[in-house]
Amino acid sequence: MTRVTPEQAAAAAKQAVLVLGGAFSDDPKTMRRARQIGLTGWAFYVAGRGGALGDVRADTVAAALGFIAPEAVQDGWDAARKVAPPEQIAADNLDECCRWGREHLESFYALPKLVELAERVVVAAETAGMPLFAAWRAMPLPDDSPGARAAVLAHLLREHRGAAHLLAIRASGLTPLEAIISGPDGEAEATAFGWQPPFPPFEPLVRRRSWAEALTDRIAGEAFKSLSPAERTELVNLLDAAVQSVKEVLPG
């Protein structure tokens, strides 16, 4: 994999980015922070992500999140806004991301290199059509320690890939619900994201879903052009190693 292309790097990094970038959200301490604020875990998740956009309408947040049912977004967003401004909840969420990184990534053996390479990809990423990623990238860091920075960069890489996937599935002619149904977790994931049956049959959607995955890699891969082929391989390996280093605290 010494001559890995940007597209191949994005594909190879996918699983580690999804796992590492979202680990803090399911951490018990993050859930405790939500309760301390006076929110359910769901309201904290919706407003914690969408709040980076500011105090906007719920349908704007649903459009940016993309894969969550609009009614479920509305419920979480409205509940959160009764407790605190969305921008503050997003700041609390970012603080939890930093806290998780300090606790679990600070001792990672190649932390400086991981931060350097991931940051170059994040900074190089194009934000057009990716409002949620752009909003998150613009948020000031409450903690600039190496572990915290690594966790935030992983979260940003996850938001970037999520935005790329949303663009790709719409370009493929799929709705967000159809993309979920034709994915590996199907109806279970759709239900978790607030969608209600009846669900569409998945068989006719699989080919378009495969095309959308390839297009996601191409869109997300654009940011990896900021690295040399050897550096792309190194970043993928470091992300995988970081996941292995924290696997005992990961959900599931």
Side-chain angles (χ1 to χ4, degrees), residues 113 115-125 223 226-228 231:
K113 193 64 176 181
V115 168
E116 177 203 336
L117 296 177
E119 188 162 34
R120 284 166 57 189
V121 174
V122 166
V123 170
S226 59
L227 305 180
S228 70
E231 288 172 331

Side-chain angles (χ1 to χ4, degrees), residues 70-124:
E71 296 81 4
V73 173
Q74 179 92 52
D75 289 345
W77 189 253
D78 289 348
R81 288 182 73 247
K82 293 176 182 177
V83 175
E87 301 97 319
Q88 181 56 55
I89 299 174
D92 290 335
N93 196 37
L94 181 58
D95 191 52
E96 285 304 299
C97 182
C98 290
R99 187 268 311 159
W100 189 91
R102 285 195 312 273
E103 292 181 356
H104 301 295
L105 295 175
E106 199 74 27
S107 60
F108 180 59
Y109 75 95
L111 186 58
K113 193 64 176 181
L114 174 61
V115 168
E116 177 203 336
L117 296 177
E119 188 162 34
R120 284 166 57 189
V121 174
V122 166
V123 170

Side-chain angles (χ1 to χ4, degrees), residues 3-200:
R3 298 299 299 175
V4 64
T5 67
E7 186 174 337
Q8 289 170 335
K14 172 186 173 180
Q15 192 58 35
V17 163
L18 294 180
V19 171
L20 202 62
F24 80 96
S25 294
D26 295 322
D27 187 75
K29 292 183 179 179
T30 301
M31 296 298 100
R32 184 173 65 192
R33 178 74 171 267
R35 292 193 297 270
Q36 289 171 344
I37 296 170
L39 297 175
T40 64
W42 179 249
F44 188 68
Y45 175 77
V46 170
R49 284 185 67 199
L53 298 167
D55 195 1
V56 297
R57 297 180 185 274
D59 56 357
T60 302
V61 180
L65 294 177
F67 295 100
I68 303 175
E71 296 81 4
V73 173
Q74 179 92 52
D75 289 345
W77 189 253
D78 289 348
R81 288 182 73 247
K82 293 176 182 177
V83 175
E87 301 97 319
Q88 181 56 55
I89 299 174
D92 290 335
N93 196 37
L94 181 58
D95 191 52
E96 285 304 299
C97 182
C98 290
R99 187 268 311 159
W100 189 91
R102 285 195 312 273
E103 292 181 356
H104 301 295
L105 295 175
E106 199 74 27
S107 60
F108 180 59
Y109 75 95
L111 186 58
K113 193 64 176 181
L114 174 61
V115 168
E116 177 203 336
L117 296 177
E119 188 162 34
R120 284 166 57 189
V121 174
V122 166
V123 170
E126 172 60 60
T127 59
M130 299 183 172
L132 191 60
F133 167 70
W136 268 101
R137 193 174 68 175
M139 289 188 67
L141 279 179
D143 182 343
D144 201 28
S145 68
R149 195 168 193 84
V152 172
L153 288 168
H155 174 62
L156 288 170
L157 288 171
R158 181 185 171 101
E159 289 290 2
H160 181 254
R161 184 173 181 92
H165 191 49
L166 187 57
L167 291 172
I169 66 106
R170 300 303 292 126
S172 71
L174 292 170
T175 66
L177 175 58
E178 288 173 335
I180 295 170
I181 289 298
S182 56
D185 295 319
E187 294 185 4
E189 185 174 6
T191 302
F193 281 2
W195 300 96
Q196 299 297 317
F199 297 126

